[in-house]
Amino acid sequence: MLEKEKKVTWQENTESLSVKTCAECGFPIEPFISPVTGRILCPVCPCEIEEERLERERLVDQQKAAKLDYLFAGCAIGEALPAGDLENFVERPGAEDAYNAVMEYVRDLPGMLETGQGLIIVGPPGCGKSHLVAATAKRAGVAGYSVLFERAPKLLMRLRAAYNSKSRVCELEMFEALGRVDLLVIDDLGAEKRTDWSEQTIYTIIDERYSSGRATLITTNLSLEELEEKVGERTMDRLIGSCRIIENRASSYRQEKAG
């Protein structure tokens, strides 16, 4: 049993077969005679079993988060978008479809992640794509899901550095984490330099997530045809099979803000 203060005392052996009542939830607990020892025992209340289960899940989530921090230090949501959230997204002409799609996504976040449903947001630089997926990732993190957010060129740079290191353990662990994290957000896919290694690496990540039913959010400045040229037909086939494709037609907010 996990270490915590005992809240009930009637879980110990008892000399009576009279029904006990849980001091926490009032659930009636009926003692029984052990067929092995013949002693009268009183089972643990279901509320404490549920409490222990939730505590185990919390510890697992903590360990998972610590592992992600170790492998992908600096992938914190919002480093480049410190105030990025859905509440402060500036709705502009052309961004309506992308904004509405993301709002639908976060409203059914458990269902989306459970079924591995992702999004691909296509649009020009500065139109708000990164803001929307970062805000979605924040919502998932607050809801207790494990999340990784990284721009495609930097993600490949991290994996390349691990690949070139003397130890291959970290590289394998990074691929495993990328495949198992509840929500993976790859920002600016297609901005990376295309090589055989980059194409195969992206395919490995997307294929693993597609096969295991994990959700992935993608943003890209490229058209779908241009993106396929960068990542390859196999990767694109899996992305289309697991992601809803949304176009953000808004102009660059950064340029508008700069005057």
Side-chain angles (χ1 to χ4, degrees):
M1 179 179 294
L2 299 173
E3 292 186 6
K4 60 186 181 67
E5 181 182 356
K6 280 281 188 180
K7 296 184 178 180
V8 288
T9 58
W10 41 261
Q11 295 176 23
E12 309 298 332
N13 295 347
T14 178
E15 299 301 325
S16 172
L17 286 173
S18 61
V19 175
K20 311 295 180 181
T21 301
C22 174
E24 290 296 310
C25 68
F27 189 83
I29 305 295
E30 185 174 355
F32 64 96
I33 299 176
S34 169
V36 178
T37 65
R39 302 175 66 184
I40 299 176
L41 303 177
C42 193
V44 176
C45 179
C47 78
E48 181 149 344
I49 295 175
E50 176 64 11
E51 184 180 347
E52 291 184 3
R53 184 188 69 80
L54 294 174
E55 178 67 9
R56 285 194 298 270
E57 288 185 355
R58 186 184 67 81
L59 292 175
V60 169
D61 289 341
Q62 285 184 343
Q63 293 169 354
K64 187 186 296 185
K67 186 71 169 180
L68 290 174
D69 287 340
Y70 165 70
L71 293 172
F72 296 92
C75 287
I77 299 300
E79 284 187 342
L81 301 164
D85 208 333
L86 293 174
E87 284 75 10
N88 60 24
F89 180 75
V90 179
E91 295 186 62
R92 292 171 299 118
E96 298 90 350
D97 289 347
Y99 177 77
N100 291 334
V102 165
M103 290 301 295
E104 291 177 14
Y105 195 93
V106 297
R107 278 195 291 266
D108 187 23
L109 189 61
M112 295 295 183
L113 299 186
E114 179 68 25
T115 58
Q117 177 66 52
L119 294 173
I120 299 176
I121 303 181
V122 180
C127 67
K129 304 184 303 298
S130 299
H131 188 135
L132 289 171
V133 294
T136 306
K138 284 182 181 180
R139 292 289 184 92
V142 169
Y145 295 101
S146 59
V147 180
L148 274 177
F149 177 101
E150 188 59 284
R151 288 171 173 79
K154 191 172 182 180
L155 175 61
L156 291 173
M157 189 185 305
R158 289 177 183 273
L159 293 170
R160 173 69 81 177
Y163 178 81
N164 291 333
S165 66
K166 293 181 180 179
S167 173
R168 302 299 296 277
V169 175
C170 189
E171 181 202 1
L172 295 175
E173 289 177 330
M174 291 175 78
F175 273 108
E176 181 178 349
L178 288 167
R180 293 187 178 183
V181 68
D182 295 327
L183 179 63
L184 175 64
V185 183
I186 304 180
D187 191 30
D188 211 7
L189 185 61
E192 71 279 359
K193 180 180 179 181
R194 185 194 177 282
T195 65
D196 290 342
W197 179 84
S198 68
E199 182 178 333
Q200 181 60 42
T201 299
I202 292 293
Y203 169 75
T204 301
I205 296 169
I206 298 302
D207 180 63
E208 175 61 27
R209 297 190 64 76
Y210 177 80
S211 300
S212 59
R214 305 281 184 175
T216 306
L217 304 184
I218 302 287
T219 72
T220 182
N221 297 333
L222 306 178
S223 67
L224 295 182
E225 293 76 14
E226 293 170 331
L227 183 61
E228 183 172 328
E229 290 180 8
K230 274 293 186 75
V231 302
E233 183 180 355
R234 297 181 303 166
T235 299
M236 200 65 198
D237 179 70
R238 284 155 178 77
L239 286 175
I240 292 175
S242 60
C243 296
R244 178 183 174 187
I245 301 170
I246 308 296
E247 186 175 0
N248 187 342
R249 302 181 181 88
S251 57
S252 174
Y253 177 71
R254 288 191 291 267
Q255 292 183 18
E256 292 173 7
K257 190 175 180 181

